């Protein structure tokens, strides 16, 4: 492991003013997104859509790294240029999702475990060779009656720590993503309590696997009310409780934290990140690693039509710029109305 190199990459991935584009939807997930805009989910359409984002010169100025799905990392643009080269030329780092999705966790009804550790040690050098300098693994923890269980928290954080150790051995920075879902009707304090439990356990597991914290990026959820909560906490409360939770759980050796959006609206995800950065100085850099909150608007603007590419790129650039400002605590709501 070259820790100096890993640390350099982790710092670059979370540079203030920039963040990460999570474009690693598996084929099933991108099909759902394409269904929503009436686009057929073919390999060419997936390629065209992602190529459009990576060729957005203005948007990519705010993107330090792109998380890719296995199909995309090997794909070539229409003109034959490897998509990873387009990303690199924009000054951004290619990364790769290496988990293989979730399966039911035995004896724990309603809970899942993320798969993909078998053969991971053999797969990582091939991804490095192809240009990946970081990887991503997502664990899914749900909140409900009687869940999460001790088993779900421990098995999932253990798997994440094993993955992180394997990545570092291959000189790839692991994004560690223990996601507590916001799908339920729980309040923000329940989310705070469960996320704190998951993060405390996560850092203990990383310690046991001897993972160097200087060479990881944490990708957590925010402390936030469930989508179906009777009353949802406001921006200030989300920011204060999330920062408090992270201060309690995340050692200062971690260079950067890049949030997932988890189903928040585009503007909510930006406003929350901005409000947190306005509470600084903080021990780590706080930025975004959004999937839906960065792509929802450009997907709609594109709708599978080549004549919409320029407009969709403008919409993507705008969201990327808004989030880039939020990563420095410099976003203002009135900027939302101004086009990129
Ligand atoms: C882009 O979505 C990612 C892929 O999900 P699937 O494996 O289910 O297709 C997802 O893992 C994503 O990287 C993160 O969860 C963050 O995305 P959001 O939309 O929550 O910001």
């Amino acid at each position: 492991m070259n820790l100096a190199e890993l640390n350099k990459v982790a710092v670059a991935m979370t540079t203030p003013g920039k963040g990460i584009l999570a474009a690693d939807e598996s084929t099933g997930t991108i099909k759902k997104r394409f269904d929503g805009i009436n686009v057929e989910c073919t390999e060419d359409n997936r390629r065209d859509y992602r190529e459009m984002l990576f060729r957005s010169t203005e948007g990519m100025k705010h993107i330090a790294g792109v998380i890719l799905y296995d199909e995309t990392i090997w794909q070539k643009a229409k003109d034959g240029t490897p998509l990873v080269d387009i990303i690199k030329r924009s000054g951004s780092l290619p990364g790769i999702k290496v988990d293989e999705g979730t399966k039911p966790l035995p004896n724990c009804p309603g809970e899942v475990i993320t798969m993909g550790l078998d053969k991971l040690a053999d797969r990582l050098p091939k991804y490095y060779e192809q240009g990946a300098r970081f990887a991503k693994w997502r664990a899914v923890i749900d909140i409900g009656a009687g869940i999460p269980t001790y088993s779900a928290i421990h098995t999932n954080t253990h798997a994440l720590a094993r993955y992180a150790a394997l990545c570092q051995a291959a000189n790839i920075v692991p994004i560690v993503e223990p996601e507590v879902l916001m799908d339920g009707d729980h309040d923000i304090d329940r989310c705070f309590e469960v996320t704190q439990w998951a993060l405390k356990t996560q850092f203990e597991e990383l310690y046991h696997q001897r993972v160097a914290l200087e060479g990881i990026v944490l990708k957590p959820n925010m402390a936030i009310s469930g989508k179906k909560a009777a009353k949802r906490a406001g921006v200030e409360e989300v920011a204060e409780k999330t920062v408090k939770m992270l201060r309690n759980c995340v050692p200062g050796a971690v260079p950067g934290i890049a949030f997932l959006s988890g189903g928040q609206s585009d503007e909510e995800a930006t406003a929350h990140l901005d409000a947190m950065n306005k509470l600084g100085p903080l021990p780590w850099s706080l930025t975004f690693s959004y999937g839906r909150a960065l792509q929802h608007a450009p997907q709609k603007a594109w709708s599978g039509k080549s004549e919409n590419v320029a407009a969709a790129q403008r919409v993507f650039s705008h969201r990327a710029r808004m989030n880039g400002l939020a990563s420095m605590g410099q976003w203002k709501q009135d900027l939302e109305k101004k086009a990129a």
Side-chain angles (χ1 to χ4, degrees), residues 22-30 32-33 67 69 97 99 101 136 138 177 179 219 259-263 289-295:
D24 58 314
E25 300 87 353
S26 51
T27 308
T29 304
I30 196 77
K32 270 192 233 153
R33 308 279 180 261
I67 316 174
Y69 184 53
K97 183 233 290 291
D99 71 62
K136 192 204 92 170
R138 171 175 171 254
E177 183 180 2
E179 176 174 2
K219 177 164 172 168
F259 290 102
L260 59 94
S261 58
S289 175
Y290 295 160
R292 283 163 286 180
L294 269 176
Q295 295 189 64

Short mmCIF file of all heavy atoms in Angstrom, two decimals, residues 22-30 32-33 67 69 97 99 101 136 138 177 179 219 259-263 289-295, ligand 1:
data_model
loop_
_atom_site.label_atom_id
_atom_site.label_comp_id
_atom_site.label_asym_id
_atom_site.label_seq_id
_atom_site.Cartn_x
_atom_site.Cartn_y
_atom_site.Cartn_z
N ALA A 22 -21.97 10.34 -8.62
CA ALA A 22 -22.26 8.91 -8.50
C ALA A 22 -23.08 8.49 -9.72
O ALA A 22 -24.29 8.68 -9.77
CB ALA A 22 -23.01 8.61 -7.21
N ALA A 23 -22.36 7.98 -10.73
CA ALA A 23 -23.01 7.56 -11.98
C ALA A 23 -22.90 6.04 -12.10
O ALA A 23 -22.72 5.50 -13.20
CB ALA A 23 -22.36 8.25 -13.17
N ASP A 24 -22.98 5.36 -10.96
CA ASP A 24 -22.72 3.92 -10.92
C ASP A 24 -24.01 3.09 -10.82
O ASP A 24 -24.00 1.99 -10.27
CB ASP A 24 -21.81 3.58 -9.73
CG ASP A 24 -22.41 4.02 -8.39
OD1 ASP A 24 -22.90 5.16 -8.31
OD2 ASP A 24 -22.38 3.23 -7.44
N GLU A 25 -25.10 3.63 -11.34
CA GLU A 25 -26.34 2.86 -11.30
C GLU A 25 -26.14 1.52 -12.00
O GLU A 25 -25.62 1.46 -13.12
CB GLU A 25 -27.48 3.60 -12.03
CG GLU A 25 -27.83 4.96 -11.46
CD GLU A 25 -26.97 6.08 -12.03
OE1 GLU A 25 -26.01 5.81 -12.78
OE2 GLU A 25 -27.27 7.24 -11.70
N SER A 26 -26.58 0.46 -11.33
CA SER A 26 -26.55 -0.86 -11.97
C SER A 26 -27.59 -0.84 -13.09
O SER A 26 -28.41 0.08 -13.17
CB SER A 26 -26.86 -1.93 -10.93
OG SER A 26 -28.05 -1.58 -10.25
N THR A 27 -27.56 -1.85 -13.95
CA THR A 27 -28.46 -1.82 -15.12
C THR A 27 -29.92 -1.72 -14.69
O THR A 27 -30.71 -1.00 -15.30
CB THR A 27 -28.19 -3.06 -16.00
OG1 THR A 27 -26.78 -3.09 -16.24
CG2 THR A 27 -28.92 -2.99 -17.32
N GLY A 28 -30.28 -2.42 -13.60
CA GLY A 28 -31.67 -2.38 -13.12
C GLY A 28 -32.06 -0.97 -12.67
O GLY A 28 -33.16 -0.50 -12.98
N THR A 29 -31.15 -0.28 -11.98
CA THR A 29 -31.48 1.06 -11.47
C THR A 29 -31.55 2.08 -12.61
O THR A 29 -32.46 2.91 -12.66
CB THR A 29 -30.42 1.51 -10.43
OG1 THR A 29 -30.39 0.53 -9.40
CG2 THR A 29 -30.76 2.85 -9.82
N ILE A 30 -30.61 2.02 -13.55
CA ILE A 30 -30.65 3.01 -14.64
C ILE A 30 -31.88 2.76 -15.52
O ILE A 30 -32.48 3.69 -16.05
CB ILE A 30 -29.33 3.05 -15.48
CG1 ILE A 30 -29.22 4.32 -16.32
CG2 ILE A 30 -29.15 1.82 -16.34
CD1 ILE A 30 -28.82 5.55 -15.58
N LYS A 32 -34.79 1.87 -14.36
CA LYS A 32 -35.88 2.59 -13.65
C LYS A 32 -35.83 4.08 -13.98
O LYS A 32 -36.86 4.69 -14.24
CB LYS A 32 -35.71 2.42 -12.14
CG LYS A 32 -36.41 1.20 -11.57
CD LYS A 32 -36.43 1.28 -10.04
CE LYS A 32 -35.87 -0.02 -9.49
NZ LYS A 32 -35.24 0.09 -8.18
N ARG A 33 -34.62 4.65 -13.96
CA ARG A 33 -34.49 6.09 -14.25
C ARG A 33 -34.91 6.38 -15.70
O ARG A 33 -35.60 7.35 -15.97
CB ARG A 33 -33.04 6.56 -14.07
CG ARG A 33 -32.43 6.21 -12.73
CD ARG A 33 -32.82 7.17 -11.61
NE ARG A 33 -32.20 6.77 -10.38
CZ ARG A 33 -32.81 6.06 -9.40
NH1 ARG A 33 -34.09 5.72 -9.51
NH2 ARG A 33 -32.16 5.72 -8.30
N ILE A 67 -18.00 7.99 -10.04
CA ILE A 67 -18.13 6.56 -9.74
C ILE A 67 -18.83 5.88 -10.92
O ILE A 67 -19.92 6.31 -11.33
CB ILE A 67 -18.95 6.29 -8.46
CG1 ILE A 67 -18.57 7.23 -7.32
CG2 ILE A 67 -18.79 4.82 -8.03
CD1 ILE A 67 -19.46 7.10 -6.07
N TYR A 69 -20.08 2.29 -13.12
CA TYR A 69 -20.53 0.90 -13.04
C TYR A 69 -19.60 0.09 -13.95
O TYR A 69 -18.98 0.64 -14.87
CB TYR A 69 -21.98 0.83 -13.54
CG TYR A 69 -22.62 -0.53 -13.44
CD1 TYR A 69 -22.62 -1.22 -12.23
CD2 TYR A 69 -23.21 -1.13 -14.56
CE1 TYR A 69 -23.21 -2.48 -12.14
CE2 TYR A 69 -23.80 -2.38 -14.47
CZ TYR A 69 -23.79 -3.04 -13.26
OH TYR A 69 -24.37 -4.27 -13.17
N LYS A 97 -17.66 1.20 -8.84
CA LYS A 97 -18.48 0.50 -7.84
C LYS A 97 -18.10 -0.98 -7.90
O LYS A 97 -18.17 -1.61 -8.96
CB LYS A 97 -19.96 0.66 -8.19
CG LYS A 97 -20.90 0.03 -7.15
CD LYS A 97 -21.90 -0.93 -7.75
CE LYS A 97 -22.98 -0.31 -8.58
NZ LYS A 97 -23.93 0.47 -7.84
N ASP A 99 -19.14 -3.33 -5.33
CA ASP A 99 -20.05 -4.26 -4.66
C ASP A 99 -20.98 -4.88 -5.70
O ASP A 99 -21.15 -4.35 -6.80
CB ASP A 99 -20.80 -3.58 -3.50
CG ASP A 99 -21.84 -2.58 -3.97
OD1 ASP A 99 -22.79 -2.99 -4.67
OD2 ASP A 99 -21.70 -1.38 -3.64
N GLY A 101 -24.25 -5.66 -5.17
CA GLY A 101 -25.64 -5.52 -4.75
C GLY A 101 -25.91 -6.28 -3.46
O GLY A 101 -25.00 -6.81 -2.82
N LYS A 136 -16.07 2.06 -4.73
CA LYS A 136 -17.22 2.30 -3.86
C LYS A 136 -17.92 1.00 -3.50
O LYS A 136 -18.05 0.10 -4.34
CB LYS A 136 -18.23 3.21 -4.54
CG LYS A 136 -19.29 3.72 -3.59
CD LYS A 136 -20.57 4.13 -4.30
CE LYS A 136 -21.53 2.98 -4.37
NZ LYS A 136 -22.87 3.37 -4.84
N ARG A 138 -21.45 -0.04 -1.12
CA ARG A 138 -22.56 0.55 -0.35
C ARG A 138 -23.24 -0.53 0.47
O ARG A 138 -23.64 -1.57 -0.07
CB ARG A 138 -23.54 1.18 -1.32
CG ARG A 138 -24.85 1.65 -0.73
CD ARG A 138 -25.63 2.38 -1.83
NE ARG A 138 -26.99 2.69 -1.43
CZ ARG A 138 -28.05 2.03 -1.88
NH1 ARG A 138 -27.91 1.03 -2.73
NH2 ARG A 138 -29.25 2.38 -1.49
N GLU A 177 -19.35 3.39 2.35
CA GLU A 177 -20.72 3.93 2.33
C GLU A 177 -21.69 3.06 3.14
O GLU A 177 -22.32 2.16 2.60
CB GLU A 177 -21.22 4.07 0.88
CG GLU A 177 -22.61 4.69 0.77
CD GLU A 177 -23.13 4.84 -0.66
OE1 GLU A 177 -22.42 4.42 -1.61
OE2 GLU A 177 -24.23 5.36 -0.83
N GLU A 179 -25.01 3.21 4.25
CA GLU A 179 -26.19 4.09 4.09
C GLU A 179 -27.35 3.66 4.97
O GLU A 179 -27.88 2.56 4.84
CB GLU A 179 -26.67 4.09 2.62
CG GLU A 179 -27.95 4.92 2.47
CD GLU A 179 -28.46 5.12 1.05
OE1 GLU A 179 -27.84 4.56 0.11
OE2 GLU A 179 -29.47 5.83 0.88
N LYS A 219 -18.70 7.96 2.93
CA LYS A 219 -19.91 8.43 2.22
C LYS A 219 -21.13 8.08 3.08
O LYS A 219 -21.71 7.01 2.94
CB LYS A 219 -19.99 7.77 0.84
CG LYS A 219 -21.25 8.14 0.06
CD LYS A 219 -21.14 7.80 -1.42
CE LYS A 219 -22.45 7.99 -2.14
NZ LYS A 219 -22.35 7.94 -3.59
N PHE A 259 -21.26 13.15 1.06
CA PHE A 259 -22.59 12.63 1.37
C PHE A 259 -23.28 12.01 0.17
O PHE A 259 -23.11 12.46 -0.96
CB PHE A 259 -23.49 13.76 1.86
CG PHE A 259 -23.12 14.29 3.21
CD1 PHE A 259 -22.42 15.48 3.32
CD2 PHE A 259 -23.45 13.60 4.36
CE1 PHE A 259 -22.06 15.97 4.57
CE2 PHE A 259 -23.09 14.08 5.61
CZ PHE A 259 -22.39 15.26 5.71
N LEU A 260 -24.15 11.04 0.44
CA LEU A 260 -25.11 10.57 -0.55
C LEU A 260 -26.36 11.44 -0.42
O LEU A 260 -26.56 12.08 0.63
CB LEU A 260 -25.44 9.10 -0.29
CG LEU A 260 -26.03 8.72 1.07
CD1 LEU A 260 -27.53 8.68 1.04
CD2 LEU A 260 -25.48 7.39 1.54
N SER A 261 -27.19 11.51 -1.45
CA SER A 261 -28.39 12.35 -1.34
C SER A 261 -29.59 11.54 -0.85
O SER A 261 -30.50 12.10 -0.22
CB SER A 261 -28.70 13.07 -2.65
OG SER A 261 -28.87 12.18 -3.72
N GLY A 262 -29.64 10.27 -1.16
CA GLY A 262 -30.59 9.34 -0.53
C GLY A 262 -32.07 9.54 -0.80
O GLY A 262 -32.88 8.97 -0.09
N GLY A 263 -32.43 10.38 -1.77
CA GLY A 263 -33.85 10.60 -2.04
C GLY A 263 -34.29 12.02 -1.66
O GLY A 263 -35.48 12.34 -1.75
N SER A 289 -21.44 13.37 -2.87
CA SER A 289 -21.24 12.25 -3.80
C SER A 289 -22.65 11.83 -4.20
O SER A 289 -23.14 10.77 -3.82
CB SER A 289 -20.50 11.10 -3.11
OG SER A 289 -20.43 9.98 -3.97
N TYR A 290 -23.30 12.72 -4.93
CA TYR A 290 -24.72 12.53 -5.22
C TYR A 290 -24.95 11.76 -6.52
O TYR A 290 -24.23 11.92 -7.50
CB TYR A 290 -25.42 13.89 -5.33
CG TYR A 290 -25.47 14.71 -4.04
CD1 TYR A 290 -25.69 16.09 -4.09
CD2 TYR A 290 -25.31 14.11 -2.78
CE1 TYR A 290 -25.75 16.85 -2.93
CE2 TYR A 290 -25.37 14.87 -1.61
CZ TYR A 290 -25.59 16.24 -1.70
OH TYR A 290 -25.64 17.00 -0.55
N GLY A 291 -25.99 10.94 -6.48
CA GLY A 291 -26.46 10.25 -7.68
C GLY A 291 -27.70 10.98 -8.18
O GLY A 291 -27.64 11.83 -9.07
N ARG A 292 -28.83 10.69 -7.51
CA ARG A 292 -30.09 11.27 -7.95
C ARG A 292 -30.10 12.80 -7.91
O ARG A 292 -30.59 13.45 -8.83
CB ARG A 292 -31.24 10.71 -7.09
CG ARG A 292 -31.62 9.32 -7.49
CD ARG A 292 -32.44 8.63 -6.41
NE ARG A 292 -31.61 8.25 -5.27
CZ ARG A 292 -32.09 7.63 -4.19
NH1 ARG A 292 -33.37 7.36 -4.10
NH2 ARG A 292 -31.27 7.29 -3.21
N ALA A 293 -29.56 13.41 -6.83
CA ALA A 293 -29.64 14.87 -6.68
C ALA A 293 -28.79 15.63 -7.70
O ALA A 293 -28.91 16.83 -7.83
CB ALA A 293 -29.26 15.27 -5.26
N LEU A 294 -27.92 14.91 -8.42
CA LEU A 294 -27.14 15.56 -9.50
C LEU A 294 -27.71 15.22 -10.87
O LEU A 294 -27.51 15.97 -11.83
CB LEU A 294 -25.69 15.07 -9.46
CG LEU A 294 -24.66 15.83 -8.64
CD1 LEU A 294 -23.33 15.10 -8.69
CD2 LEU A 294 -24.49 17.26 -9.14
N GLN A 295 -28.38 14.07 -10.95
CA GLN A 295 -28.75 13.58 -12.29
C GLN A 295 -30.23 13.72 -12.64
O GLN A 295 -30.59 13.63 -13.81
CB GLN A 295 -28.38 12.11 -12.41
CG GLN A 295 -26.89 11.84 -12.34
CD GLN A 295 -26.61 10.39 -12.68
OE1 GLN A 295 -26.86 9.94 -13.79
NE2 GLN A 295 -26.11 9.65 -11.71
C1 LIG B 1 -26.20 6.12 -8.46
O1 LIG B 1 -26.82 5.18 -7.59
C2 LIG B 1 -25.93 4.24 -7.01
C3 LIG B 1 -26.15 2.88 -7.54
O2 LIG B 1 -27.21 2.20 -6.93
P1 LIG B 1 -27.57 0.68 -7.42
O3 LIG B 1 -26.40 -0.18 -7.12
O4 LIG B 1 -28.76 0.37 -6.56
O5 LIG B 1 -27.90 0.75 -8.85
C4 LIG B 1 -25.92 4.42 -5.49
O6 LIG B 1 -25.21 3.43 -4.84
C5 LIG B 1 -25.32 5.76 -5.22
O7 LIG B 1 -23.96 5.77 -5.59
C6 LIG B 1 -25.40 6.22 -3.78
O8 LIG B 1 -26.30 5.54 -2.99
C7 LIG B 1 -25.74 7.68 -3.76
O9 LIG B 1 -26.82 7.94 -4.62
P2 LIG B 1 -27.95 8.96 -4.16
O10 LIG B 1 -28.94 8.94 -5.30
O11 LIG B 1 -28.52 8.46 -2.88
O12 LIG B 1 -27.25 10.29 -4.02
#
